Amino acid sequence: MCTINIIGLGTGELEDLSVKAYNTLKSNIPTFLRTERHSITKEMLKNGIKYETFDNFFVEFVDFNEIYEKIVEKVVEKVKKYGKINYCIPGSPYLGDVVTKKLLALCDDEIKIEIYDAKSFLEECLTLSGYADYKSIKVLDCLEIDEFSFDINSVNFITQIDRQDVASNIKIMLMESYSDSHEVLKIDVLNKNIKKIPLYLLDQERNYEFSTYFCILPIESYKKPLYNINNLFRVTKILRGPEGCPWDRKQTHDTCKQCFTDEVNEALDAIDNKDYENLCEELGDVLFQVVFHSEIASEEGYFNINDVINNVCEKMIRRHPHVFGDDKAVTTEEALKIWNKEKQKEKEK
């Protein structure tokens, strides 16, 4: 049986590795590194540990999924050739290494996987930031985030910002939720370097590497200039709660019908008048009505706001197979035809 030793190189020096991992590296087994960009590699060479790297894939290919597939193919090819190899990655194999996940999925009667864990980049980043024990922490992959990913009440950690253009895109997304001067910690996990930067200057920084993480500090409630949808849910629950507003606590679906109608009509008037400042306010009032009715329904045991959101997302995805599925629609007429077709299917169930 062939064996792949997946060795985490951690975030420090060679002596920080476990004895078992170090001995495995010293055992003259062919060794392959995902990348040579790690402080430990110079010490490996000094200690007679020879290796090859897959850095060339990061130059030849742009798409990360393709890069990871190529590395997996090469690792499998090498283990079949040599019988036993070491595959080394920065940090921990269990956190953030796509190749490890793919190799574990391929594991069968012919290929055995042995994992030698080490300190992860995320663990080191949390320690360096000083926010490891904060009440709410959110970890985000820099390649998968959008403007809706961030929770302004939490500490948001964004992983592996390896290029300036990636940092620029993140800055633009963050500005949808935070002020331009909001503080961000730029953390280089390998160099143990921390720099506090105002949000608007993020893309003016240099020296971005795969070991660069962002720590977005929370907006504390006592000085909050911005709110998100979770704050609206919480405010509504407080208004309906025992210590809330007597008028709000008394309302029912029926008593709020006229309020709902009035708010929708005011939003329609703002659209007709092209009064976009007022439209922003009126849409907020309509949204509050949706959340308010959902809270009443939740108290009565029928559904809650998460059910409302889940249902509408499922419906939009289901009725747009030309966007989320394999159907094709080039014109608005074709799109409308597909919509009506999917709507009819729902009625027939």
Side-chain angles (χ1 to χ4, degrees):
M1 176 183 286
C2 299
T3 301
I4 302 172
N5 297 318
I6 301 179
I7 301 174
L9 298 179
T11 63
E13 305 301 326
L14 196 61
E15 64 249 27
D16 294 329
L17 299 182
S18 68
V19 174
K20 191 174 181 181
Y22 180 80
N23 288 337
T24 303
L25 287 173
K26 290 282 289 183
S27 61
N28 293 320
I29 297 171
T31 297
F32 302 88
L33 274 57
R34 188 181 76 180
T35 177
E36 194 173 31
R37 292 184 295 167
H38 195 299
S39 55
I40 213 170
T41 55
K42 292 180 180 178
E43 294 182 56
M44 289 172 67
L45 292 175
K46 288 179 182 177
N47 284 267
I49 303 171
K50 297 179 181 179
Y51 57 78
E52 296 180 32
T53 81
F54 297 128
D55 282 316
N56 60 302
F57 289 137
F58 292 91
V59 176
E60 293 176 26
F61 306 101
V62 177
D63 182 73
F64 277 95
N65 287 325
E66 188 174 11
I67 292 170
Y68 297 141
E69 288 294 342
K70 294 293 183 183
I71 293 176
V72 169
E73 290 175 10
K74 187 61 69 173
V75 168
V76 171
E77 173 190 316
K78 294 297 184 181
V79 76
K80 288 183 177 179
K81 177 179 179 181
Y82 295 111
K84 181 180 286 188
I85 66 168
N86 297 325
Y87 166 64
C88 304
I89 68 155
S92 166
Y94 290 112
L95 283 173
D97 187 60
V98 176
V99 173
T100 296
K101 293 178 181 178
K102 290 181 179 293
L103 289 172
L104 286 171
L106 289 174
C107 184
D108 54 26
D109 293 336
E110 295 183 3
I111 298 178
K112 179 183 177 183
I113 305 288
E114 292 280 354
I115 294 182
Y116 300 80
D117 201 12
K119 190 174 186 179
S120 70
F121 275 34
L122 179 58
E123 184 182 358
E124 181 70 9
C125 182
L126 288 168
T127 302
L128 291 170
S129 73
Y131 285 86
D133 60 348
Y134 193 75
K135 59 187 177 183
S136 178
I137 292 173
K138 192 170 185 181
V139 180
L140 305 166
D141 186 323
C142 77
L143 299 177
E144 298 179 358
I145 59 174
D146 56 31
E147 63 269 30
F148 305 111
S149 300
F150 308 102
D151 181 356
I152 61 174
N153 301 306
S154 301
V155 177
N156 292 267
F157 287 92
I158 309 177
T159 68
Q160 301 183 72
I161 303 101
D162 63 346
R163 299 196 310 271
Q164 192 174 20
D165 63 312
V166 174
S168 181
N169 290 334
I170 291 173
K171 181 190 84 168
I172 293 169
M173 286 186 281
L174 285 169
M175 282 181 168
E176 295 292 330
S177 302
Y178 299 86
S179 66
D180 293 359
S181 59
H182 190 76
E183 289 185 341
V184 177
L185 302 182
K186 179 190 174 194
I187 302 173
D188 190 309
V189 175
L190 287 178
N191 293 331
K192 310 293 189 289
N193 183 47
I194 309 167
K195 186 175 183 181
K196 189 175 289 187
I197 309 167
L199 176 56
Y200 73 95
L201 290 178
L202 274 189
D203 54 355
Q204 303 302 308
E205 288 290 305
R206 301 291 188 270
N207 303 321
Y208 281 104
E209 294 284 350
F210 73 96
S211 57
T212 304
Y213 283 50
F214 285 158
C215 172
I216 318 300
L217 303 183
I219 300 175
E220 299 291 354
S221 58
Y222 64 85
K223 57 179 180 181
K224 190 188 303 296
L226 293 169
Y227 296 91
N228 64 16
I229 191 68
N230 291 321
N231 298 123
L232 178 58
F233 298 160
R234 193 171 295 116
V235 165
T236 307
K237 190 173 286 291
I238 291 171
L239 289 174
R240 291 280 298 178
E243 305 300 320
C245 171
W247 186 90
D248 287 300
R249 292 204 312 269
K250 188 178 180 180
Q251 301 312 303
T252 67
H253 290 303
D254 288 327
T255 62
C256 287
K257 283 165 62 177
Q258 188 58 51
C259 289
F260 210 153
T261 301
D262 291 344
E263 300 300 357
V264 170
N265 286 332
E266 288 173 10
L268 293 174
D269 288 341
I271 293 173
D272 290 338
N273 297 327
K274 294 183 170 51
D275 186 349
Y276 298 112
E277 182 177 348
N278 189 40
L279 177 59
C280 179
E281 180 180 346
E282 299 304 339
L283 288 176
D285 292 339
V286 171
L287 177 59
F288 177 74
Q289 288 296 312
V290 173
V291 175
F292 196 81
H293 279 276
S294 299
E295 179 59 28
I296 294 173
S298 176
E299 294 164 6
E300 296 173 350
Y302 292 112
F303 60 84
N304 60 32
I305 187 62
N306 292 318
D307 297 316
V308 174
I309 294 170
N310 186 67
N311 287 343
V312 73
C313 285
E314 284 186 347
K315 180 187 289 185
M316 291 302 109
I317 292 170
R318 188 171 62 246
R319 292 191 183 178
H320 290 83
H322 50 293
V323 177
F324 301 103
D326 298 325
D327 287 7
K328 302 296 181 185
V330 177
T331 66
T332 55
E333 291 79 8
E334 290 172 340
L336 185 58
K337 184 177 179 180
I338 291 173
W339 170 279
N340 289 328
K341 177 183 174 183
E342 295 301 319
K343 187 175 180 179
Q344 186 60 37
K345 284 182 184 178
E346 295 168 14
K347 290 181 178 179
E348 293 171 355
K349 289 183 177 179

